[in-house]
Amino acid sequence: MTSDVSERTALPSAPADEHLLTARLVAPRRPGLWISAAILLVLAAMLIHTLVTNRRFQWPTVRGYFFERSILHGLELTIWLTAAVLVTGYVIGTAVAAARLSKNPVLKSLGFGFVWLIRSVPMLVQLLFWYELASLYPKLSLGIPFGPEFASFKTAHLFGGILAAYVALSLDVAAFSAEIVRGGILSVPAGQVEAAQALGLGRGRIFRRIVLPQAMPAIVPASGNLLIGMLKATSIVSVIAVQDLLYSAQLIYNENFQIIPLLLVATLWYVVLTTVLSIGQYFVERHYARGTNRRGDGFARLFRRNLPLFNRAGLAAGGRS
Amino acid sequence: MSTLAAAVEVRGASKWFGAHKVLDEVDLTVCPGHVTVIIGPSGAGKSTLLRAINHLEKLDAGRVTVNGVLIGVREHGTRLKELSERAILAQRAEIGFVFQAFNLFPHLTVLENVAAAPVATGRATKTEARERALELLAQVGLAEKAEAYPGQLSGGQQQRVAIARALALRPGVVLFDEPTSALDPELVGEVLAAIRALAGGGTTLVIVTHEIGFAREAADRVVFMDAGRIVEEGPPGEVLDRPRHPRTREFLSKVL
Ligand SMILES: Nc1ncnc2c1ncn2[C@@H]1O[C@H](COP(=O)(O)OP(=O)(O)OP(=O)(O)O)[C@@H](O)[C@H]1O
Ligand SMILES: [Mg+2]
């Protein structure tokens, strides 16, 4: 037996392998894949089963409050607060990233200091800080630094709950997005900028047309994380009595004690929003994957291939023929 | 000045990187329409010299003129003052540059790569730039790849696109920094053929290369650099076959 094997390995190009030319190629079996998938499917089924059958989740109550007016108002506030915070945060963050990447040592250190400071302070502390600003600086005034002042006003009127939340969260997004944008820009090879310079393109154009599109594949996934994280992090404003989605739910269950159903109402709305954002992220990522081999990979491709509704290429081809 | 003016003239060019003098008072004159090949060992300063010609690298001393125009600086009394970014960019459009690593823009199609600069610098409308780009791509034998992305091309094809891109602005001078050294041996020929097709067409070419055979056949002048200096220069028959300087002889005996 052993001699048989050694003989065969010694003759790698045996003459009797003609039948192999017509043989079918069979993929190796992967039992581990099937077993792990089966286990996970059972666990998922158990989870869904308990969600549906445990009466204490009180799904009818959840349904009853899902479109409650105050919940929808809270939802609205959550959405526009998140949007405003992200736009402001990314504008500041991009500027900070530019400062950190500049050759000016003052700008560089200020950019670094900003990121360091904001990232060091817990978001809740920042929120309370801006909310309580009045106790720190009762009066703000406009004038020449260290010189005479022209106008002054009381801070007590300046920072209501929503404004404090807007400022605190925007600064937080600014610090984190600055690092995301900076990382994305650094991921673009220096040769790209050089090639564009050699072609006579200006600095602004090089940034917009050459660097940014290539930085986006690195920026988008991290930004999706930040965006979705911030959507949920806005719920922190409930501590300063801003009526966002979560706080609206809390107000209701403080009166009727239906805690779990109302938390489920808020959760389900967060799930809906996150789903919408994730789908958006997928399309943005696909847009910036031009020129790479990563276009439409993974689950999404499987999905589109197997559902005729999503199979646009197939539809187009069918229409033409 | 007119007919005698050099296409590229470098005078007393010096450049330090820290304490290391990379260019040591280099003088170089390139005649219009000529092909000048620069050879020399690694670290000799060939790339730095080439990059100084289109002001990608700033000189610490000396000056560069292209077609009689000072590059990157202007005379200001007894000193040279750096030009504004806009002025430098306008000058660069007159000087094509082909990089060793191609540096094509991966997110743009081949056609967009070639047509981008003429449109962005306002030298051509979109349609004009497209037509010119297709013409250039046909010239380097890649017309059918116009809609492909650089990542879908072989190295030799990418470098030919880079050559077409460098020509899109109709520069009077094209600089090549080791255009074939990132390529597999069987792809070198197609790129050299594309460069050879340019020679004799009125465009001035300055080529840093290790392809001695190509230098012998295509160059009007060969320049040998070592340790930041031009050691020897002349027609290829002289520099390559009867080098006067022992350093040149030593280098050639290694690469041939
Ligand atoms: N940005 C830089 N900073 C510091 N030193 C540099 C820099 N660029 C080049 N050098 C140094 O300058 C010297 C000349 O470099 P250069 O790239 O001009 O050489 P080269 O002749 O083109 O060599 P090669 O054939 O390897 O490309 C080298 O010693 C290199 O290490
Ligand atoms: Mg070099």
Side-chain angles (χ1 to χ4, degrees):
Chain A
M1 194 62 194
T2 41
S3 68
D4 189 5
V5 169
S6 64
E7 249 175 51
R8 259 195 238 158
T9 47
L11 287 171
S13 55
D17 61 355
E18 236 126 70
H19 66 283
L20 287 180
L21 293 175
T22 55
R24 207 162 57 92
L25 182 67
V26 182
R29 281 168 205 275
R30 300 220 171 84
L33 203 80
W34 289 102
I35 293 169
S36 54
I39 292 174
L40 289 176
L41 280 177
V42 169
L43 287 176
M46 282 165 69
L47 179 68
I48 291 171
H49 180 255
T50 173
L51 281 176
V52 173
T53 56
N54 188 336
R55 290 181 166 275
R56 268 165 283 184
F57 280 113
Q58 301 185 48
W59 290 108
T61 321
V62 171
R63 195 181 319 135
Y65 279 106
F66 200 66
F67 294 108
E68 174 77 25
R69 260 176 70 112
S70 67
I71 293 284
L72 292 183
H73 275 298
L75 179 70
E76 200 186 320
L77 186 132
T78 293
I79 291 174
W80 74 248
L81 181 62
T82 307
V85 157
L86 277 155
V87 171
T88 316
Y90 264 82
V91 170
I92 302 174
T94 309
V96 172
R100 286 205 65 183
L101 290 168
S102 83
K103 290 196 187 101
N104 183 332
V106 177
L107 285 183
K108 246 185 151 95
S109 351
L110 285 178
F112 176 83
F114 173 81
V115 172
W116 167 79
L117 182 68
I118 301 290
R119 288 204 303 192
S120 310
V121 182
M123 204 203 288
L124 183 57
V125 176
Q126 281 184 61
L127 185 66
L128 294 174
F129 171 83
W130 288 106
Y131 192 53
E132 304 291 341
L133 191 68
S135 61
L136 211 55
Y137 296 99
K139 204 179 71 167
L140 282 183
S141 49
L142 234 66
I144 297 167
F146 309 109
E149 49 189 57
F150 307 133
S152 69
F153 39 90
K154 294 214 165 69
T155 48
H157 308 296
L158 204 60
F159 280 87
I162 293 180
L163 190 58
Y166 168 69
V167 172
L169 297 177
S170 294
L171 290 179
D172 200 72
V173 169
F176 284 94
S177 66
E179 288 301 277
I180 292 174
V181 172
R182 190 174 70 96
I185 290 172
L186 286 177
S187 74
V188 180
Q192 291 291 312
V193 174
E194 250 181 13
Q197 283 176 338
L199 288 169
L201 302 195
R203 212 185 301 180
R205 197 170 256 121
I206 292 177
F207 183 73
R208 286 194 311 274
R209 300 279 311 279
I210 306 298
V211 175
L212 205 55
Q214 292 185 61
M216 282 315 249
I219 291 177
V220 172
S223 294
N225 256 352
L226 185 63
L227 201 169
I228 289 168
M230 188 46 60
L231 171 74
K232 292 180 294 179
T234 53
S235 63
I236 202 175
V237 299
S238 59
V239 300
I240 52 173
V242 172
Q243 290 191 31
D244 75 322
L245 179 55
L246 180 63
Y247 194 62
S248 305
Q250 287 173 336
L251 285 180
I252 298 174
Y253 73 59
N254 282 342
E255 280 177 11
N256 65 10
F257 302 108
Q258 307 265 31
I259 299 179
I260 294 292
L262 278 152
L263 285 179
L264 279 174
V265 167
T267 305
L268 284 177
W269 274 118
Y270 284 118
V271 169
V272 168
L273 293 179
T274 304
T275 308
V276 171
L277 291 177
S278 303
I279 292 172
Q281 179 184 343
Y282 165 75
F283 282 104
V284 175
E285 263 178 47
R286 206 178 57 152
H287 174 76
Y288 284 109
R290 274 175 305 172
T292 69
N293 297 328
R294 283 181 288 115
R295 259 199 113 136
D297 54 2
F299 191 70
R301 189 154 81 189
L302 202 76
F303 198 64
R304 263 180 302 142
R305 251 203 230 137
N306 292 304
L307 290 180
L309 186 62
F310 291 87
N311 192 344
R312 274 218 229 110
L315 280 184
R320 247 182 270 123
S321 65
Chain B
M1 181 103 185
S2 55
T3 48
L4 292 174
V8 178
E9 186 154 32
V10 181
R11 284 285 159 266
S14 292
K15 169 88 189 170
W16 280 266
F17 280 122
H20 181 33
K21 196 168 191 183
V22 178
L23 291 181
D24 190 1
E25 293 179 21
V26 172
D27 290 321
L28 176 70
T29 304
V30 177
C31 297
H34 272 199
V35 177
T36 302
V37 167
I38 303 177
I39 58 171
S42 189
K46 309 180 296 291
S47 297
T48 309
L49 175 62
L50 215 57
R51 292 159 56 83
I53 293 176
N54 76 345
H55 207 68
L56 279 177
E57 210 79 72
K58 281 175 207 159
L59 290 173
D60 294 310
R63 57 176 63 189
V64 175
T65 57
V66 170
N67 296 323
V69 180
L70 265 178
I71 296 299
V73 292
R74 62 189 166 82
E75 274 166 303
H76 185 79
T78 57
R79 287 183 295 178
L80 294 176
K81 212 171 166 186
E82 187 162 22
L83 289 175
S84 71
E85 195 206 348
R86 183 186 284 264
I88 293 174
L89 292 173
Q91 290 185 333
R92 285 213 185 105
E94 305 294 328
I95 309 168
F97 202 108
V98 176
F99 295 87
Q100 178 175 9
F102 329 138
N103 295 354
L104 293 178
F105 305 130
H107 60 298
L108 302 180
T109 63
V110 163
L111 186 71
E112 289 167 342
N113 261 280
V114 180
V119 177
T121 55
R123 278 154 196 261
T125 65
K126 257 194 173 138
T127 6
E128 285 166 2
R130 272 182 71 94
E131 272 167 30
R132 167 95 177 130
L134 284 170
E135 216 172 275
L136 284 166
L137 286 172
Q139 227 172 328
V140 296
L142 288 172
E144 80 281 10
K145 296 286 185 189
E147 297 306 325
Y149 284 94
Q152 301 163 334
L153 304 184
S154 75
Q157 291 171 332
Q158 289 191 46
Q159 191 61 298
R160 285 187 278 152
V161 174
I163 291 171
R165 181 176 72 171
L167 296 173
L169 291 163
R170 302 176 195 275
V173 176
V174 184
L175 313 172
F176 296 81
D177 191 2
E178 304 199 25
T180 59
S181 63
L183 299 176
D184 289 337
E186 72 264 31
L187 299 178
V188 169
E190 62 187 65
V191 171
L192 292 182
I195 299 173
R196 208 176 288 119
L198 284 175
T203 314
T204 308
L205 309 183
V206 182
I207 307 167
V208 172
T209 185
H210 291 299
E211 300 289 332
I212 302 296
F214 174 76
R216 180 174 283 122
E217 157 213 357
D220 295 300
R221 270 188 105 66
V222 173
V223 175
F224 174 70
M225 278 188 82
D226 186 31
R229 295 167 168 273
I230 291 182
V231 174
E232 182 166 356
E233 65 175 302
E238 276 177 29
V239 177
L240 298 176
D241 298 328
R242 294 182 299 281
R244 277 167 290 138
H245 203 281
R247 193 66 194 85
T248 318
R249 249 173 265 151
E250 189 191 338
F251 173 76
L252 287 172
S253 71
K254 272 186 208 149
V255 295
L256 282 179

